[in-house]
């Protein structure tokens, strides 16, 4: 299990996003995979949630990014 760094919750369009970034040693800031509310998603954009929702986001950074 890789450790993650949690940021303070963010609010966007009245939904709250609880974001954790998992960064392998020596990786760069390039997102390789997102998990939103326990489900992997395609791409690197988190879909907007309805107002009042609390969304858990886990972002894995690519260890091989330049």
């Amino acid at each position: 299990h890789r450790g993650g760094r949690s940021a303070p919750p963010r609010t966007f369009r009245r939904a709250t996003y609880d974001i954790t970034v998992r960064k392998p040693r020596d990786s760069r800031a390039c997102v390789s995979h997102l998990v939103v509310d326990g489900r992997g998603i395609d791409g690197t954009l988190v879909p907007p949630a309805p107002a009042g929702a609390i969304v858990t986001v886990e972002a894995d950074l690519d260890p091989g990014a330049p």
Side-chain angles (χ1 to χ4, degrees), residues 6-53:
S6 294
R10 305 279 178 144
T11 302
F12 178 70
R13 295 184 182 171
R14 297 179 31 194
T16 301
Y17 295 82
D18 183 17
I19 303 168
T20 299
V21 177
R22 292 187 295 240
K23 178 183 176 199
R25 175 175 248 147
D26 299 328
S27 70
R28 307 289 175 125
C30 181
V31 175
S32 64
H33 183 73
L34 285 176
V35 176
V36 178
D37 289 334
R39 295 185 201 146
I41 64 167
D42 292 328
T44 58
L45 294 176
V46 176

